[in-house]
Amino acid sequence: MTCRQGVGLALISMAGVVASAGAVEKQWLEASPAKLPRWYGFNLLEKFQKAANKPFVEEDFRLISELGFNFVRLPMDYRCWIVEGDWRRFHEGTLKEIDQAVAWGETYGIHVSLNFHRAPGYTVASPKEERDLWTDPEAQEVCALHWGTFARRYKGIPSSRLSFNLMNEPSTIDGATYAAVVKRLAEAIHREDPQRLILCDGLQWGSKPCLELLPLGVAQATRGYSPFYITHYKASWVKGTDTLPVPTWPRVTIPGTLYGPAKPEYGGALRLDGPFAEACRLRLRVGIVSKAATLVISADGAEILRRAFVCGPGEGEWKKAEFKEQWNLYQNVYDLDVEVQIPAGAKRLELANVEGDWLQLTELGISPRRDGAAEATLPLDTSWGKKPGAVRFEPAGQGGRFTGGTAEDREWLRQTAIVPWQEAEAKGIGVMVGEWGAFNKTPHDVVLRWGEDCLRNWQAAGCGWALWSFRGSFGILDSGRTDVAYEDFRGHKLDRRFLELLQRYAK
């Protein structure tokens, strides 16, 4: 059946009667496309996927409010509210569940932002949509129908209480294509409700501002998932994260993907400067290898190791064989340590891929060849398309340390993830962080140190934020971490240290 105009608004009005009795002292923050307030809160995932479609939970809204937060984002899969797979027919009962969430936002003084995590014709999740929102006129028409329906349903609710976040993390499209689709969706919304606040995630999975959207009068949302090796360490849904070294923060790093002669634009050797006064052991962790590669290590120009890696099907020294049909080759996950002795007196090591496609080095370690010596480790950046760099090893204490390279710390986060968005805001684009957080396999102390640096930067920039989940693997409740002393709290396991960190910056 189709939705009925005004049903949601009626629910909101009833919620307002409850709120007026003094249950919650509400401070609605004014919001505009050019300037968003400092909201702070969580994503609630009840309708994140069709397979797990459930009603939202009032207790979540109550607790979020009691704990001092004022924002929820509802990432949703449009298939939750269509009838028997027909994307033009809407299930009224499911829409009422969304109405109820909006009403609870009013009751508990929480801004609600509705998001299509899976929109008609577009998703970053699996399986892919059969139609393509960016090129298919019918998909665009249907997506506009959905957003227009929500706009009509909630017409009159102030944008201080409700916003529309059109779609989740556009990935590989250009700004002009994105802006053309956003224009059509925004027009459908504003025909029904001219005042509705619209947010659009930035380009490149939300990481880059889209200036082409500026004429459309929409705000934008970025992400707090940098660096990815911290936020998605051992995340089962992201290829290759199970081979990364244990995250640290802050850290020194250099690019660790070695490209063969066929990719000269990325080529070159990874350089490790000494001098190495005594003989040392060099350990390299090999991650993913594409097709074939030959690793050569030289000390002051003299070859000390040559090691070929040839990928293929079945079992081998790799942990997993993965055939890539689009390139007709294997890219195998090795997760394998290779060791070689550095001769005493060596001044410079060079690590190169002299033939083949490419291979990832995810970590290197150096330890003096004597009893009791500690290994100094350096995690390597496996991002695509970065030329290998140089780093220096300096003996210190029982082991040593690495200097040079790129220092990833709070200032690095500010320069790479904050400054571009401040520049966009100066042009008239309201900005917030729609998602951030770290998966529960990242060490808790690392999450807290990195998280505080993120929060300090956003506070200084006047930027609001929403942790990816309230309950669950990124959240403060029932996160399933093995290195947290949880506190029993209202039937949940509370990560008190993480909560208190968030509360310090929810002001």
Side-chain angles (χ1 to χ4, degrees), residues 78 82 85-90 120-121 131 138-139 142 145-146:
Y78 80 95
I82 64 174
D86 183 346
W87 63 357
R88 294 179 183 272
R89 297 172 60 210
F90 303 154
R131 310 289 281 270
E138 184 180 1
V142 172
L145 170 68
H146 282 246

Side-chain angles (χ1 to χ4, degrees), residues 266-280:
Y266 304 140
L270 187 161
R271 199 178 81 214
L272 186 58
D273 292 327
F276 301 91
E278 57 181 313
C280 298

Side-chain angles (χ1 to χ4, degrees), residues 293-420:
T294 299
L295 173 65
V296 170
I297 303 177
S298 302
D300 298 331
E303 186 174 304
I304 58 174
L305 181 138
R306 177 177 289 259
R307 179 77 145 74
F309 299 86
V310 180
C311 300
E315 296 183 356
E317 58 181 352
W318 48 77
K319 285 191 174 180
K320 185 190 301 182
E322 295 188 345
F323 183 71
K324 300 299 179 181
E325 188 173 350
Q326 63 268 47
W327 298 302
N328 192 33
L329 53 79
Y330 280 88
Q331 289 182 351
N332 289 4
V333 179
Y334 276 76
D335 198 22
L336 173 74
D337 281 337
V338 174
E339 294 187 355
V340 66
Q341 180 170 312
I342 303 172
K347 295 181 174 61
R348 173 177 294 178
L349 302 183
E350 291 188 341
L351 290 66
N353 176 16
V354 299
E355 59 184 356
D357 199 5
W358 54 264
L359 83 160
Q360 291 179 346
L361 301 178
T362 63
E363 183 180 63
L364 63 83
I366 294 179
S367 53
R369 298 186 65 87
R370 49 185 165 79
D371 292 341
E375 182 186 62
T377 61
L378 179 70
L380 302 178
D381 179 0
T382 58
S383 302
W384 179 261
K386 294 183 179 180
K387 287 191 174 185
V391 70
R392 179 176 298 278
F393 176 74
E394 299 177 351
Q398 291 298 309
R401 63 173 185 161
F402 295 95
T403 61
T406 299
E408 294 182 348
D409 53 16
R410 182 162 64 92
E411 177 58 19
W412 174 84
L413 280 174
R414 191 186 73 82
Q415 291 289 341
T416 59
I418 304 292
V419 169

